[in-house]
Amino acid sequence: MDINFSLIWDALPLLLAGAGITIEITALSVGFGLLIGMTVGIARLASIKPVRYFANCYVDFIRGTPLLVQIFLVYFALPGIIGHRVDPYFAAISACSINSGAYIAEIFRAGIQSIDKGQMEAGRSLGMSWAQTMRYVIMPQAFKRSIPPLGNEFIAMLKDSSLVSVIGFEELTRRGQLIIARTYASFEIWMAVAVIYLIMTFTVARLVGMLERRYDTK
């Protein structure tokens, strides 16, 4: 089987532009997911039962349903509630952020619970409030321990973001589909897409490894 490398070369600018959009979606989704995850992770450990119950329901629902279904809910079902069409970019970021937030919540919950309870008692004995002890004592340690799983979440979202192609959002996978529809070169284009994803995930994995060594997360 002959591989048309010139076709891959011609398609590369469009594919790399799509890869840039994929990275943008992933970075924004995980960024917003961090905010959601930290809040929900702490809420899952709250002593107030309604708060803890709501946080548990959110995590269970998001982790128990596919990201593809969540994208459909935001893009197709939400317009029926709010009364107007949802922009694909907003739908992609919203669905991916909500999904990522549930997994990050579990990461932070586990990170917080891995810190010795004496740390909280020590902070309170020094006159700090519960919130201050969480902010200055518990969370910095929990965040360091959460770096490896957070890196895995970023890599997972980098790959899962390909699902937003089903709503027509032109990230890397969608760009590949459009090029194939024009050239019929399925093998060459999908191989190029796969290699670009591999390079991105490999780079992120190496960066996470550097952070682990720098902050000594063991």
Side-chain angles (χ1 to χ4, degrees), residues 151-165:
N152 291 335
E153 170 59 21
F154 192 95
I155 292 172
M157 183 52 64
L158 188 66
K159 294 181 290 184
D160 290 346
S161 65
S162 62
L163 292 172
V164 303
S165 63

Side-chain angles (χ1 to χ4, degrees), residues 14 19-20 23 48 51 87 94 96 113 118 126 131 134 144 155 160-161 167 171-173 180 204 211:
L14 284 174
I23 293 172
I48 304 173
V51 173
D87 180 75
S94 298
C96 291
Q113 290 185 320
L126 291 173
M134 285 294 295
K144 285 175 61 177
I155 292 172
D160 290 346
S161 65
I167 59 174
E171 41 65 74
L172 177 56
T173 300
I180 291 170
V204 172
L211 285 174

Side-chain angles (χ1 to χ4, degrees), residues 10-206:
D10 292 339
L12 200 56
L14 284 174
L15 293 177
L16 291 177
I21 297 172
T22 293
I23 293 172
E24 179 184 343
I25 293 173
T26 305
L28 288 174
S29 298
V30 175
F32 288 126
L34 277 170
L35 298 177
I36 297 170
M38 283 191 288
T39 303
V40 175
I42 293 173
R44 294 199 73 186
L45 301 173
S47 57
I48 304 173
K49 287 187 177 180
V51 173
R52 190 170 66 246
Y53 178 77
F54 177 79
N56 289 337
C57 287
Y58 161 74
V59 171
D60 290 342
F61 177 79
I62 297 300
R63 294 182 69 196
T65 56
L67 174 57
L68 183 60
V69 173
Q70 295 160 20
I71 294 171
F72 285 158
L73 283 172
V74 175
Y75 189 67
F76 293 113
L78 186 59
I81 298 174
I82 63 178
H84 60 82
R85 182 176 176 272
V86 174
D87 180 75
Y89 185 82
F90 173 83
I93 299 298
S94 298
C96 291
S97 297
I98 293 170
N99 181 274
S100 184
Y103 289 92
I104 292 176
E106 278 294 274
I107 291 171
F108 275 116
R109 180 194 60 78
I112 291 170
Q113 290 185 320
S114 72
I115 306 301
D116 190 274
K117 293 182 179 180
Q119 299 276 350
M120 175 62 75
E121 296 171 0
R124 297 304 296 273
S125 67
L126 291 173
M128 288 191 286
S129 65
W130 182 89
Q132 289 175 324
T133 305
M134 285 294 295
R135 179 180 178 183
Y136 296 111
V137 179
I138 305 298
M139 288 304 294
Q141 298 180 73
F143 186 81
K144 285 175 61 177
R145 295 188 181 185
S146 299
I147 288 176
L150 284 175
N152 291 335
E153 170 59 21
F154 192 95
I155 292 172
M157 183 52 64
L158 188 66
K159 294 181 290 184
D160 290 346
S161 65
S162 62
L163 292 172
V164 303
S165 63
V166 298
I167 59 174
F169 194 73
E170 292 190 20
E171 41 65 74
L172 177 56
T173 300
R174 182 60 177 170
R175 290 286 176 93
Q177 291 173 336
L178 293 175
I179 294 170
I180 291 170
R182 187 177 71 250
T183 63
Y184 300 102
S186 298
F187 180 79
E188 288 89 345
I189 299 304
W190 284 131
M191 280 302 298
V193 169
V195 169
I196 293 172
Y197 272 114
L198 178 62
I199 291 171
M200 290 192 295
T201 55
F202 181 83
T203 302
V204 172
R206 297 288 78 77

